[in-house]
Amino acid sequence: MANIFDLFKKIERAAAPTTGAPAYLVVGLGNPGAEYARTRHNAGFLAVDALARSVGASIDRARFQALVGEGVLAGERVLFMKPQTYMNLSGDAVREAAAFYHVAPDHIIVIYDDVTLDVGRLRVRGKGSDGGHNGMKSIIARLGSNEFARVRIGVGKKPHPSYDLADWVLSVFSAEELEKLGGLGETVEKGVSLLLKGDLAAAMQTCNGVGGSC
């Protein structure tokens, strides 16, 4: 027998718009190239790929200095994005897409890595500072706003204070860590769906503290 939640999801997608311009941008941050694919800084790429797959979308078209794909999530038409500008210039791609589709910051969700959280922990916020993350710094600067939602994925703290941060975020996940991240897919999908529905409080309740207390 089909799971009742799967049935609801099918009904929701059937009623969702299949044409028209995307109303939201869901952006995963990372660096392009095979050498970065499994690094900590690419947690956003990994998450947005999984999110797109869950709704039958593929992020494989080159546009807006990014790889993009369109799909319907939570009844909203979404443009999934993976900027190809390298992390420090992520805002160039986001601004270009936002300007083209006339998407305001409050209709943008960014998924990215967080070195202050243990691997597998999540934290959702509706707005805020860049927290020292260069990709977020670029997006805030290019949009001229920090009023957009973000889903932060824990990639682990540096092994010791003297460890170079750039080396740490560009280090490769272990197989165990990748397995832990892979188990977050359903929760990230629920959290992003709730953000698309405008329910920040429920998204925070769903995601914050997953994998342990934050």
Side-chain angles (χ1 to χ4, degrees), residues 156-171:
K157 303 174 180 67
K158 296 191 300 182
H160 49 80
S162 62
Y163 200 104
D164 184 77
L165 181 59
D167 288 341
W168 178 242
V169 296
L170 295 179
S171 66

Side-chain angles (χ1 to χ4, degrees), residues 102-195:
H102 305 289
V103 173
D106 65 357
H107 276 49
I108 297 173
I109 300 168
V110 182
I111 308 174
Y112 65 104
D113 57 293
D114 190 327
V115 296
T116 71
L117 301 175
D118 291 339
V119 176
R121 290 186 181 177
L122 298 174
R123 181 172 288 172
V124 169
R125 289 290 182 268
K127 60 182 179 179
S129 70
D130 58 61
H133 190 283
N134 287 334
M136 292 295 286
K137 188 179 300 182
S138 174
I139 293 172
I140 290 170
R142 296 297 281 146
L143 292 179
S145 172
N146 68 355
E147 302 273 333
F148 55 88
R150 65 281 312 267
V151 179
R152 292 152 56 187
I153 299 176
V155 297
K157 303 174 180 67
K158 296 191 300 182
H160 49 80
S162 62
Y163 200 104
D164 184 77
L165 181 59
D167 288 341
W168 178 242
V169 296
L170 295 179
S171 66
V172 175
F173 286 116
S174 69
E176 181 181 358
E177 288 172 329
L178 283 173
E179 183 177 357
K180 188 174 292 187
L181 292 177
L184 296 175
E186 185 176 346
T187 304
V188 171
E189 182 182 351
K190 288 179 181 177
V192 172
S193 295
L194 288 164
L195 289 172

Side-chain angles (χ1 to χ4, degrees), residues 84-104:
Q84 301 293 290
T85 54
Y86 289 94
M87 185 66 81
N88 292 6
L89 298 175
S90 298
D92 292 353
V94 176
R95 182 181 181 280
E96 191 174 332
F100 183 86
Y101 288 117
H102 305 289
V103 173

